[in-house]
Amino acid sequence: NMKNLFYLLTVLLILVSCDMKESNHECASCAKSAEAKTTFENNSKTMQLLFEGYANESVDYSKFADDVVFRGTLLGSADSLGLDEIKGIHKEFFAKYDVKHMAPFKYLQGVNAETGKADGSVRMYYAMQVTNTANAKSVIVPIYESFDFNDEGKAFFVQWYCDWTASLASIE
């Protein structure tokens, strides 16, 4: 009868599931997934250091590859920026503004755009309070960022999406 067949299949599924957890199952796909997870965790630690450094106005630029490309949404900026340009932008920004991250970061594992598989890249959504130090006006800026890392654990592609232009104009 159908009811007995259902119970039998359920019991078999549970037994197979338990057996898989107990085994030393290690296919190439699972190993690659575990490696991507470890890489993601390490890259998330790097991002944490970078964001803490940014809030403290002491970014460790050695965490970026020499040929890193930055792509953002600042009105009038170039389509992509290099590390020296970002250092200059940071210097000007830090001279005028203070930042505070509004909540602990929750990093999301990224995927390779071509394969759809986890690749160790890191994505995140967060809110940052920016305060103009000359007039004490502040704005909360919602931001999405993604970082892609090379095999040495250095960021080689960084992109962000937010409305920097309007946000900063609102506190002038």
Side-chain angles (χ1 to χ4, degrees):
N1 110 20
M2 215 44 181
K3 193 174 183 180
N4 288 338
L5 181 61
F6 174 74
Y7 288 129
L8 178 63
L9 288 175
T10 302
V11 170
L12 285 174
L13 183 61
I14 290 169
L15 289 173
V16 170
S17 297
C18 292
D19 189 44
M20 289 296 283
K21 289 178 189 172
E22 302 279 328
S23 75
N24 291 326
H25 173 77
E26 190 62 39
C27 67
S29 177
C30 294
K32 192 165 184 98
S33 178
E35 180 183 330
K37 185 176 191 295
T38 300
T39 302
F40 163 74
E41 290 167 353
N42 291 336
N43 292 341
S44 294
K45 290 175 187 171
T46 298
M47 284 187 66
Q48 185 68 34
L49 292 172
L50 288 170
F51 282 105
E52 288 172 2
Y54 188 82
N56 296 323
E57 300 181 5
S58 61
V59 177
D60 181 356
Y61 294 105
S62 72
K63 302 293 183 190
F64 296 101
D66 292 337
D67 60 349
V68 62
V69 173
F70 295 85
R71 192 165 289 150
T73 54
L74 190 60
L75 183 66
S77 71
D79 180 47
S80 58
L81 303 166
L83 187 56
D84 287 337
E85 293 164 298
I86 287 296
K87 287 178 182 179
I89 290 168
H90 285 177
K91 185 176 178 179
E92 289 177 25
F93 184 87
F94 296 151
K96 189 169 185 176
Y97 304 103
D98 287 332
V99 301
K100 176 182 167 187
H101 299 295
M102 302 309 294
F105 296 117
K106 294 180 182 167
Y107 301 108
L108 306 169
Q109 188 165 356
V111 297
N112 179 290
E114 282 90 40
T115 67
K117 301 217 185 261
D119 64 359
S121 60
V122 183
R123 297 359 184 180
M124 63 185 293
Y125 297 89
Y126 65 102
M128 183 169 61
Q129 179 181 31
V130 179
T131 303
N132 182 327
T133 55
N135 63 21
K137 290 182 180 180
S138 293
V139 63
I140 305 281
V141 183
I143 303 169
Y144 168 81
E145 283 198 62
S146 70
F147 283 58
D148 293 341
F149 292 85
N150 63 22
D151 292 338
E152 290 81 44
K154 294 185 179 223
F156 72 87
F157 183 71
V158 178
Q159 59 186 340
W160 63 89
Y161 298 93
C162 63
D163 194 346
W164 275 119
T165 307
S167 296
L168 295 180
S170 75
I171 58 174
E172 291 305 316

